[in-house]
Amino acid sequence: MVTDARNLNKNKSARFGQLLRLAVAGAILSFSASAQDLTPRAYLITPKGSNAVVLSYIYNTGGILLDPTIPITDLKAQLQVPIFSVYHSFGVFGRSANIAISLPYGYGHFEGSVIGSQTRIARSGLADGRVRFSMNLRGGPAMGLGEFVRYRERTVIGASLTAMVPTGQYDPARLINPGANRWAFKPELGITRRWGRWAIDGYGGAWLFTTNPQFYPGTSVRKQNPIASMEFHVGYYVRPKMWMSFDSNFWSGGSTVMNGVANSDGARNSRLGGTIAIPIDRHQSFKFSASRGAIVRIGGNFTSITAGWQYSWLSMPR
């Protein structure tokens, strides 16, 4: 009888742990989709041949809100993501354009209570990379340094395409992985208007996902519906290259389908935050930002802090 009771408790604990892992897996994959992005001055125009190397670190901490039917309470997480990025600007059909490539490494620690049974999970590894191509459509032709010095920003309309590349570590035998084992694409349209020291940005786009045919335990097929997203920023330039902004966003959608069965895990969330950029010298600058969830239906209700260092230079024309 004692052995049977122990086995029953062991089976319950394993089942509760699996529920927690399933819940956390959904939260991680939603986080990887980066619908929570807050990126002021994303369509800022730079001279042709501008280059930059960026080292940044993102720290997220807070709770994760789940579908009420999942018997998990007090689910909390800490996510730490250092990112290495490179940037280069050039001209396309006479318009200003640029490409940015980012490679993140993620570490996550999660804990929660499943009907009184406390469970903890930790994962780390190379996460999925990103490639973003952006092109100015109106308000800023491709310019050399001499032309750029005389340029005065007014209204800028740009478009971009971001691809999430499945370069992250993924093992189908493990439910939680740093990588998502799928592609994701985000087409976006942005508009910026500047009046003297003030600038207003607005972006609208949608994340589109391919299928993960090897979801845990390796035989499941996981799909995710599109996530529509919007961003708004109000910025103020203290002096050249030193600016601050108030940031907000909203995203909706992203419910998942597992082996043909739809889940009630779509998001309808928003965040509020602020950013400040501080130049050090002609080549180096720091950027700091902080944000937290304003409205969270399902997903991570995180406080997020980001610190970044950038080194930039201009290629000599041939």
Side-chain angles (χ1 to χ4, degrees):
M1 294 293 292
V2 174
T3 301
D4 290 343
R6 287 178 178 174
N7 289 336
L8 180 60
N9 289 334
K10 185 177 180 180
N11 290 336
K12 284 184 177 180
S13 178
R15 174 57 178 163
F16 297 160
Q18 186 181 46
L19 282 171
L20 178 58
R21 292 183 181 93
L22 283 168
V24 171
I28 290 177
L29 292 173
S30 295
F31 177 79
S32 296
S34 299
Q36 303 185 43
D37 283 354
L38 283 167
T39 313
R41 312 304 286 149
Y43 292 89
L44 182 68
I45 296 173
T46 58
K48 290 186 297 183
S50 295
N51 306 280
V53 173
V54 183
L55 299 177
S56 55
Y57 171 83
I58 304 173
Y59 176 76
N60 297 278
T61 183
I64 299 176
L65 303 181
L66 307 173
D67 184 329
T69 61
I70 298 177
I72 297 176
T73 59
D74 198 28
L75 180 55
K76 299 178 181 179
Q78 291 184 354
L79 298 169
Q80 303 176 60
V81 187
I83 305 173
F84 173 77
S85 303
V86 293
Y87 166 95
H88 177 69
S89 68
F90 48 94
V92 176
F93 302 119
R95 312 305 302 174
S96 175
N98 63 75
I99 188 168
I101 301 173
S102 301
L103 190 62
Y105 185 95
Y107 173 81
H109 178 267
F110 309 85
E111 60 179 82
S113 178
V114 188
I115 315 179
S117 177
Q118 197 74 13
T119 303
R120 296 182 178 182
I121 299 171
R123 288 289 185 269
S124 65
L126 189 66
D128 291 340
R130 263 205 220 190
V131 179
R132 180 181 184 267
F133 170 76
S134 176
M135 181 176 176
N136 168 259
L137 303 177
R138 180 182 183 274
M143 295 172 283
L145 182 59
E147 298 171 286
F148 182 78
V149 170
R150 298 187 296 271
Y151 169 74
R152 293 294 178 268
E153 179 185 351
R154 294 291 185 268
T155 300
V156 173
I157 299 176
S160 66
L161 177 64
T162 301
M164 191 80 73
V165 185
T167 56
Q169 295 174 221
Y170 187 83
D171 181 355
R174 303 178 70 177
L175 184 55
I176 300 175
N177 288 279
N181 193 42
R182 65 175 182 188
W183 290 77
F185 302 93
K186 184 185 183 184
E188 182 182 78
L189 187 67
I191 182 169
T192 295
R193 173 64 180 174
R194 184 168 174 179
W195 297 270
R197 294 179 179 267
W198 292 92
I200 296 178
D201 301 334
Y203 323 140
W207 278 104
L208 309 172
F209 308 96
T210 62
T211 299
N212 179 357
Q214 293 181 306
F215 194 72
Y216 179 84
T219 56
S220 297
V221 177
R222 185 181 190 272
K223 299 180 180 180
Q224 186 167 14
N225 292 316
I227 299 178
S229 65
M230 296 182 293
E231 285 187 58
F232 303 96
H233 308 273
V234 178
Y236 180 78
Y237 278 83
V238 180
R239 57 187 175 87
K241 296 185 179 181
M242 182 176 181
W243 53 268
M244 58 186 67
S245 72
F246 169 77
D247 312 317
S248 63
N249 68 1
F250 175 81
W251 69 97
S252 179
S255 59
T256 59
V257 179
M258 187 76 70
N259 295 325
V261 179
N263 299 313
S264 300
D265 55 358
R268 192 175 178 84
N269 305 340
S270 67
R271 297 184 65 81
L272 297 175
T275 303
I276 182 169
I278 304 172
I280 304 172
D281 54 34
R282 61 180 297 185
H283 293 294
Q284 300 180 80
S285 64
F286 285 123
K287 187 165 71 172
F288 304 95
S289 64
S291 65
R292 64 179 303 170
I295 301 172
V296 181
R297 176 181 174 269
I298 286 180
N301 187 14
F302 296 132
T303 295
S304 180
I305 300 173
T306 302
W309 169 82
Q310 174 178 300
Y311 184 88
S312 58
W313 71 96
L314 191 66
S315 300
M316 297 299 294
R318 296 180 180 179

